[in-house]
Structure formats: C-alpha cells, structure tokens
Amino acid sequence: MKHGVSTLLLLLAAATPAAHAQQTNLNETQLLGRQVFAQSCGICHLQPSLGVKTYGPMLNKAATAGNDEVMRAFIVNGTDRMPAFKYYLKPAEIDAIIAYVRTVPVPDAPAPNAQK
C-alpha cells in the first residue's frame, strides 16, 4: 500500500501544467520545490484543465513582485483565503517552493481581441 501511495504522489507531482513542467534545468532545491509545490500548493495554484479557474492566483517569478520575504510570509502565515503552512512545511521546503516559483516564467499576455 505504501508503494502505491508514493507512486500516486510521484505521478501527481509529475502531472503539472505545461508552464510548470517545461523546466528541465532545475537544481536540487528547485526540484524539491516543484514537488512540494505540486503536492501542497497545486490544488489551488495550478490550473487542473483548460478553461477551469484556480482558487488562488497562478504563481510565477513575478509573484509578490519578486520579493522572497513577502512570499515566505504568505506561505508561513497564510491569508484570509489561504491556510498557513508554518506547522505543515519545514523551512527548507518553504525555501525550496520559493526557489522553484522564481523559475516559473511569466505567461505571455493574451492578445487583445480584434473588434470588427
């Protein structure tokens, strides 16, 4: 049973959207961050399928205006809409999440619709 659960978690971590999955040159910390992000943050911050909105904002390197301490405060203390992770995640895991999110490119702005 343990093997099945760990395999399922590994598959879930690997099944991230294209913007998050395209990165292949991540260091060890960033890889850990991608895994913890997928497991702990993905339910709200990763788009599950096309056309479905997320509960929280999509995160990328521009999140919190690039300020790692602000992002750490959000993760540790939570917000009105986000739980605090200070008792759930270790400081090294929080650092890894931040390191990973800083590698996620900012998506291209959608082209304005042409008016006829």
Side-chain angles (χ1 to χ4, degrees), residues 4-116:
V5 172
S6 62
T7 302
L8 177 61
L9 288 175
L10 186 60
L11 289 173
L12 287 173
T16 57
H20 288 266
Q22 289 175 351
Q23 303 156 359
T24 56
N25 57 344
L26 300 177
N27 65 31
E28 236 178 89
T29 301
Q30 294 162 338
L31 286 170
L32 172 64
R34 181 173 68 180
Q35 178 185 1
V36 176
F37 181 86
Q39 292 171 344
S40 301
C41 313
I43 191 73
C44 293
H45 293 285
L46 290 176
Q47 191 171 8
S49 63
L50 294 175
V52 177
K53 290 193 171 202
T54 59
Y55 292 109
M58 296 294 288
L59 299 177
N60 56 54
K61 62 177 145 187
T64 65
N67 187 323
D68 293 351
E69 291 308 312
V70 172
M71 183 172 287
R72 182 172 286 103
F74 276 119
I75 296 169
V76 169
N77 301 316
T79 67
D80 291 342
R81 296 182 56 194
M82 181 179 131
F85 286 91
K86 61 184 162 193
Y87 301 117
Y88 177 71
L89 296 175
K90 297 173 185 164
E93 292 173 319
I94 293 171
D95 292 341
I97 290 170
I98 294 168
Y100 167 67
V101 169
R102 294 299 176 224
T103 69
V104 177
V106 176
D108 296 331
N113 294 336
Q115 297 292 325
K116 291 186 179 183

